[in-house]
Amino acid sequence: MSEFALELAGLETSATGYTLRAEEIKQTGFRLDGVLVPPDDQPDGPLVFVETQFQHDPDFHARWFSELFLYLYRRPPRRMWRAVTLFPNRAAEGTVEAAYEILLAHPWVKRVYLEEALRQPKPTRGVRVLGLMLVPPTAIVAEAQALLSEPATDSVPNGPALVDWVETLLVYKLPRLSREEIRKMLNTLNVELKETRFYQEVFAEGVE
């Protein structure tokens, strides 16, 4: 049977030493960083898996693809999908094991190295907004103010969503400051407060 299986797989490899076993794989709980789900009235819109990995993990690729395909198995989307992972640099990704090289080479799978993207001649506004994650705390407020003052683009419009994302990022980068202090530093108090996640979280806490 081993010889037949290798033949069907298109491998010209001796079956000597191979053993055939039926194995049970126990399911592990996974949590995807993000899944962008298109509306039902756009059947050609792909499902997009988004992952961020800022620390080296030798098991990252195994975990990532396990999460991705388990999702597709449990929740069959019946549509195309894309997967993108954001790394700060190639060192954070580490060595790619041979088992995952062909999957990573697939056009539906994309890896973005933020430091390299920022070194491009004209990085997009979206890339520069993401680049705030790499800016040191001493410079991040000035950089955030500059980005928020720029004209909107098609991919990154101005408004509460962008302000909310930048504020949330600064909360993690400047843990000693409150959200309100960060809002004052960024001069974003003129943004409609009730539309931001900051207001919604505070309001929900007050109700609770």
Side-chain angles (χ1 to χ4, degrees):
M1 184 62 182
S2 298
E3 290 85 352
F4 299 150
L6 293 173
E7 180 181 344
L8 293 173
L11 298 173
E12 297 180 358
T13 303
S14 172
T16 303
Y18 275 83
T19 57
L20 183 63
R21 297 178 295 185
E23 295 192 12
E24 178 182 357
I25 306 298
K26 294 183 179 180
Q27 181 175 322
T28 302
F30 290 119
R31 183 180 181 85
L32 291 159
D33 281 355
V35 182
L36 294 177
V37 182
D40 293 335
D41 60 357
Q42 296 183 15
D44 295 333
L47 192 71
V48 182
F49 298 94
V50 183
E51 196 81 8
T52 57
Q53 185 65 28
F54 270 53
Q55 293 183 349
H56 175 61
D57 178 2
D59 298 322
F60 169 73
H61 297 102
R63 174 176 54 80
W64 185 39
F65 285 115
S66 296
E67 292 171 347
L68 193 156
F69 288 114
L70 182 59
Y71 180 98
L72 295 174
Y73 170 61
R74 293 298 187 188
R75 304 178 185 178
R78 311 302 182 202
R79 63 170 72 233
M80 296 184 296
W81 56 267
R82 300 291 188 273
V84 58
T85 299
L86 179 66
F87 297 98
N89 47 50
R90 293 181 184 270
E93 181 182 23
T95 303
V96 176
E97 296 183 17
Y100 307 106
E101 288 179 351
I102 193 169
L103 289 171
L104 292 169
H106 196 282
W108 285 11
V109 178
K110 185 175 179 63
R111 291 169 289 170
V112 177
Y113 306 101
L114 193 50
E115 289 181 359
E116 295 180 16
L118 290 168
R119 287 198 295 266
Q120 295 299 313
K122 292 184 179 181
T124 66
R125 190 188 189 200
V127 167
R128 288 185 290 116
V129 170
L130 291 173
L132 289 173
M133 291 186 283
L134 303 181
V135 176
T138 54
I140 193 170
V141 173
E143 188 71 19
Q145 288 174 331
L147 284 169
L148 290 174
S149 66
E150 290 184 4
T153 63
D154 292 338
S155 60
V156 185
N158 290 331
L162 175 61
V163 172
D164 185 51
W165 195 93
V166 172
E167 288 176 358
T168 301
L169 177 60
L170 264 66
V171 166
Y172 288 100
K173 297 283 287 188
L174 304 171
R176 295 185 178 181
L177 298 179
S178 67
R179 281 180 178 266
E180 189 65 22
E181 290 172 323
I182 287 172
R183 286 178 60 82
K184 291 179 180 178
M185 293 173 70
L186 292 176
N187 194 27
T188 56
L189 293 174
N190 60 327
V191 176
E192 182 59 40
L193 182 61
K194 291 184 179 180
E195 297 182 23
T196 65
R197 185 178 302 172
F198 163 72
Y199 176 89
Q200 295 167 1
E201 289 178 354
V202 171
F203 182 79
E205 290 176 2
V207 171
E208 184 177 353

